[in-house]
Amino acid sequence: MATLVSIVLTEPIASKNLTALQLISLGRHPYTNWIGALSAEDQSKILKAVEMLELESLQNAKCYELSDGQLQKVMIARALAQDTKIILLDEPTTHLDLFHKVHILKLLQRIAHDTNKVVLYTTHEIDLAIQLCDKIFIMNKDTNNFGAPCELIRNKSFEDLFPKDTITFNPETGSFKINK
């Protein structure tokens, strides 16, 4: 299964004493021999993940020295080094400020487009998903909708996500407005 799907969770890593490069290298574990030796191909995939996530300057830093955003990029690089067709992420922008949320989501978008991988993530950041995702699956109490953001806006799929007296969706701007 680990050669088909890679996962990035929100729970803390077991050892923050690893370097970023060591943590990224763990993505190759499903492909190593019984002593965990990395092949030339493994090394190549690890370095490609480091480059794609722009982590060259951080690869020798210990994970405990990294900011939340940097550590999230390392975790995504680990999943990318794992070289699966599908990358699943559980709320990859949790605890990040707006700039870093957008940066991570744009990186995920670029990874999906450049590598032809399926990048699937859960989020409560609906405004950002509308702007950056190719497709969205909306899970609501009564109905579930799937499609391109423009299609979902046309079908009024975002209109009933929240009580109308609290939050309304503006289809013209593709954003939510808090009602005072």
Side-chain angles (χ1 to χ4, degrees), residues 14-157:
S15 175
K16 288 197 171 194
N17 204 32
L18 295 171
T19 66
L21 189 61
Q22 289 170 327
L23 183 57
I24 294 166
S25 298
L26 290 176
R28 297 304 300 161
H29 182 72
Y31 308 97
T32 61
N33 61 20
W34 64 275
I35 57 172
L38 297 171
S39 69
E41 181 183 358
D42 294 326
Q43 295 288 354
S44 174
K45 290 185 185 287
I46 291 164
L47 292 178
K48 182 171 174 136
V50 167
E51 288 173 22
M52 282 195 82
L53 275 296
E54 303 164 351
L55 293 167
E56 294 89 348
S57 65
L58 297 174
Q59 59 187 333
N60 294 316
K62 297 283 188 178
C63 290
Y64 66 80
E65 299 172 318
L66 302 176
S67 70
D68 288 342
Q70 292 168 332
L71 185 57
Q72 189 66 334
K73 285 174 70 173
V74 168
M75 299 301 286
I76 294 168
R78 183 186 70 178
L80 191 57
Q82 197 171 330
D83 195 26
T84 59
K85 294 205 178 288
I86 301 170
I87 301 174
L88 301 177
L89 301 100
D90 180 28
E91 301 209 33
T93 58
T94 301
H95 308 300
L96 301 179
D97 62 37
L98 183 60
F99 171 79
H100 289 96
K101 286 176 195 248
V102 171
H103 183 70
I104 292 289
L105 295 177
K106 282 186 161 191
L107 278 171
L108 292 173
Q109 183 183 53
R110 191 180 81 215
I111 288 167
H113 292 173
D114 291 353
T115 65
N116 211 24
K117 294 180 184 297
V118 173
V119 176
L120 180 65
Y121 70 93
T122 61
T123 186
H124 290 94
E125 305 282 346
I126 303 167
D127 284 348
L128 294 177
I130 289 170
Q131 295 178 64
L132 294 169
C133 290
D134 296 328
K135 303 269 185 179
I136 298 175
F137 180 66
I138 301 171
M139 296 176 66
N140 203 349
K141 288 184 279 189
D142 304 321
T143 60
N144 297 320
N145 297 295
F146 177 76
C150 294
E151 177 186 335
L152 294 171
I153 290 170
R154 271 194 310 277
N155 294 341
K156 301 184 183 218
S157 301

